[in-house]
Amino acid sequence: MSLLRSKPRLRSLAAVGWLMAASCSAPVASSTGADREGGPSAPRAPSSARVSLARQAAGPTVLVTGPGGESLAGVEVWLVDPRSVDPERAVIASRTLGDWVEASRAVATEVLSTDDRGLAHFEARCEEGFLVAARRDALFGLVERVVPLPPKEQVPLQLLARAAYPVRVVDASGAPARGVALTLAAPDPATPDESFALPSSAFTDERGLATLYEPPPVATGVFEGLDQVPERVAILRIPVGGLAPVPLAPGGERVNVELPPLQPIELRCQHAAFSEDHWAGLVQVFLASDGSRSERTLAQAFEAGRIRLPYASRREDLRLHAVISEAAAPGRFIGMLTLDAPATGVIDLPLDEGLIVTGRCVDAEGSALADQTIDLFVVGDASTAWTLVTDGEGRFRWLLLRPGKALARVVIGARTRGTGPPKKSTKRLGDVSAGEVVDVGVLTLR
C-alpha cells in the first residue's frame, strides 16, 4: 500500500489555503464551534448596477487576463481576507475537499464574476493584505498582497494553463463510478513505494469522469525537489486496501481505472432521546489496519443523521472518526466518536452511550463568557477533552461519549483558552444515566 506523505510549513498568507488542504487526511479532533453554513456568496453575474455600486466600495479592483494578455469576461474570481477566514470552515473545506484551489474558494470572503472588461470590483476592505484567485477550466492564477492596497490601484491577475490529468473510473461491472475521490500525487524517487500527496483532488461525476489539475506553485512549495519529479499518479481515496497509485499520462490523455468488487456502507446515528435526523456532522472512514488515522480517505459531511458511502472494502474491518453536530446548528460540533466496525452494510453510531452536557459559563463577576473558546473535559481523563465556543449568552452543549468511569463519579472541568492564565471551574455530574441531557447550570470560571 502506498503511503501518502505531506510536509506543510507556513509560508505566507497564500499558504493558509495550502495549510488547510495539507491537513485534509487528518481525523477531525476538535472544533471552534463556528457556523459552517454561511459560506461565500455565489458568483454574481456582471451588471451595470453591480459595477456602479462596487466602484464606491473600498475593496480592490482586479483585472483578469488570459495567457495572451486578453481581458477575460465571466471568470470566477474570489478574494480571501486573512482576518475573515473562519477556522471551522477552513477545517471542513480542507478535510472534505482535499484541494488547495477548492479550499481557498470555500473560505473566500467574497466571490464575483468578471464583467465584460475583465474587471471584478470587490467590496471587502482588506487592511492587512489579501489573496485573489481566479479560474476558468484549466486556466488559473492568483495574486497575493501582504500590505494594504494603495487607493485606486488596479490589481492585474493573469491566468495561465495548468497541467490537466483526466481520469475515468468504473466499478467492477464496468458502470461509471460516481463520487470517487482522487488526489494527485508525485512518486518519491528515493522510495518507490511512497508518494507525496499534492493538494489537488477531484471527484468523479455521473459519467465516472474527473480531472486533476497541477496545483499552483504556492501550494507545492513545501515539497523539496518536486520540480525534479515530472511523473504524476492518482490516489483513489476510498476505504479499500491494496489500491496501487494509478500512473497518469502526460499530455492530457485520459486514464481508465476499474475498481475491485466493493459494497456500499451506510452510517446512521442512534440516540434513544432523539430522532435520527436530529444529527449532522463529518465522518472519515478508513481501514482499521491503518491505525488511528488514515491518509487514504477524505472526510465527508452528512445531514439528517445518515450517510451512504458507495465504495468500501468487502473483506477488511473499518475504523471511523465522526465529529458530531446537531442539525439545528450544523457547524457547532459538540463531540467526537471513534469506532471500529466490520465492513457490513450498516454501521450504527451509538451516540447515547454517554451524555449531552449543557451549561452556561460566566466569569467571577457573573458576566456571561459569550463567544468564548473553552475546553471541556472529565477531570483525570485528558482523552475526553473537547474544545468549543460558547454562544452569545455563554451557553454550551457537549456530547460526552464513553467517559471511562461510572457516570455518578464523573467530575467535569472547564477552562478558558486565549491570552493570560486559563480560568477554570469543575462540577460533579451526580446521579445521571447514559443517554440523558444533563444541565450542569452555571460554571463560574475563575
Side-chain angles (χ1 to χ4, degrees):
M1 180 183 298
S2 171
L3 174 66
L4 303 184
R5 300 188 301 173
S6 58
K7 303 176 181 178
R9 61 180 172 84
L10 188 61
R11 291 164 54 85
S12 60
L13 168 62
V16 171
W18 151 237
L19 200 58
M20 296 185 297
S23 68
C24 65
S25 61
V28 182
S30 64
S31 168
T32 62
D35 186 358
R36 72 180 173 93
E37 288 300 307
S41 58
R44 301 183 175 105
S47 70
S48 58
R50 169 67 182 164
V51 172
S52 175
L53 174 63
R55 282 175 176 168
Q56 302 173 17
T61 294
V62 179
L63 173 62
V64 179
T65 60
E70 70 282 9
S71 60
L72 297 177
V75 173
E76 183 182 56
V77 54
W78 61 93
L79 177 144
V80 179
D81 183 340
R83 300 173 306 164
S84 69
V85 173
D86 183 331
E88 192 59 63
R89 285 172 55 201
V91 169
I92 293 171
S94 67
R95 294 176 180 175
T96 58
L97 299 172
D99 185 271
W100 189 95
V101 173
E102 294 294 341
S104 67
R105 164 66 173 78
V107 300
T109 309
E110 195 173 351
V111 182
L112 300 174
S113 289
T114 55
D115 62 17
D116 55 3
R117 296 176 296 166
L119 295 173
H121 306 274
F122 288 98
E123 298 180 7
R125 183 190 297 270
C126 303
E127 298 178 349
E128 298 180 8
F130 58 87
L131 178 147
V132 172
R135 65 178 170 191
R136 173 182 283 176
D137 300 324
L139 298 178
F140 177 80
L142 66 85
V143 171
E144 177 190 9
R145 292 293 181 93
V146 295
V147 295
L149 189 71
K152 299 183 179 181
E153 179 177 331
Q154 194 175 90
V155 179
L157 175 56
Q158 185 177 35
L159 305 192
L160 300 175
R162 299 178 286 171
Y165 303 94
V167 181
R168 184 172 187 262
V169 183
V170 299
D171 62 23
S173 69
R178 181 178 184 177
V180 176
L182 302 106
T183 292
L184 190 66
D188 184 354
T191 311
D193 292 336
E194 296 184 353
S195 298
F196 290 107
L198 303 179
S200 174
S201 297
F203 295 81
T204 55
D205 61 16
E206 64 278 358
R207 298 170 296 171
L209 299 176
T211 300
L212 292 165
Y213 293 106
E214 188 74 11
V218 69
T220 58
V222 298
F223 296 101
E224 297 179 2
L226 182 62
D227 55 347
Q228 302 175 18
V229 184
E231 297 84 5
R232 295 291 182 265
V233 297
I235 304 297
L236 282 75
R237 305 191 77 168
I238 54 179
V240 180
L243 293 181
V246 178
L248 297 174
E253 181 181 348
R254 191 175 74 190
V255 172
N256 297 310
V257 180
E258 182 177 340
L259 299 177
L262 303 173
Q263 69 176 12
I265 296 294
E266 190 167 9
L267 310 175
R268 61 187 183 188
C269 297
Q270 298 287 300
H271 197 293
F274 298 95
S275 63
E276 183 180 276
D277 60 5
H278 178 83
W279 305 102
L282 296 177
V283 64
Q284 184 185 19
V285 179
F286 50 94
L287 300 181
S289 58
D290 285 341
S292 62
R293 58 181 290 175
S294 172
E295 293 181 328
R296 271 284 185 183
T297 60
L298 295 176
Q300 299 187 52
F302 67 90
E303 299 176 348
R306 187 183 291 254
I307 185 172
R308 185 178 185 272
L309 309 177
Y311 311 105
S313 174
R314 288 181 180 271
R315 300 183 179 90
E316 298 157 291
D317 289 344
L318 303 176
R319 177 168 293 166
L320 63 89
H321 294 298
V323 184
I324 306 300
S325 61
E326 295 172 287
R332 288 189 175 271
F333 295 121
I334 63 174
M336 183 181 74
L337 173 68
T338 298
L339 181 69
D340 287 330
T344 58
V346 177
I347 299 175
D348 290 330
L349 308 183
L351 303 185
D352 52 6
E353 291 187 356
L355 304 168
I356 295 181
V357 181
T358 68
R360 182 168 177 263
C361 294
V362 301
D363 61 19
E365 288 71 41
S367 300
L369 293 175
D371 303 315
Q372 173 72 55
T373 301
I374 60 171
D375 291 330
L376 295 169
F377 53 93
V378 172
V379 174
D381 187 354
S383 68
T384 61
W386 187 252
T387 302
L388 50 74
V389 173
T390 61
D391 67 12
E393 298 179 347
R395 300 186 182 279
F396 65 85
R397 290 174 71 84
W398 175 31
L399 180 62
L400 171 59
L401 292 168
R402 301 173 181 173
K405 61 178 71 176
L407 292 174
R409 301 205 310 269
V410 167
V411 177
I412 67 165
R415 60 173 172 255
T416 58
R417 278 196 172 192
T419 58
K423 301 174 182 178
K424 304 178 182 179
S425 179
T426 60
K427 181 167 289 191
R428 185 176 296 276
L429 292 181
D431 187 14
V432 297
S433 301
E436 289 187 25
V437 178
V438 180
D439 188 356
V440 297
V442 175
L443 294 175
T444 303
L445 278 64
R446 297 184 172 90

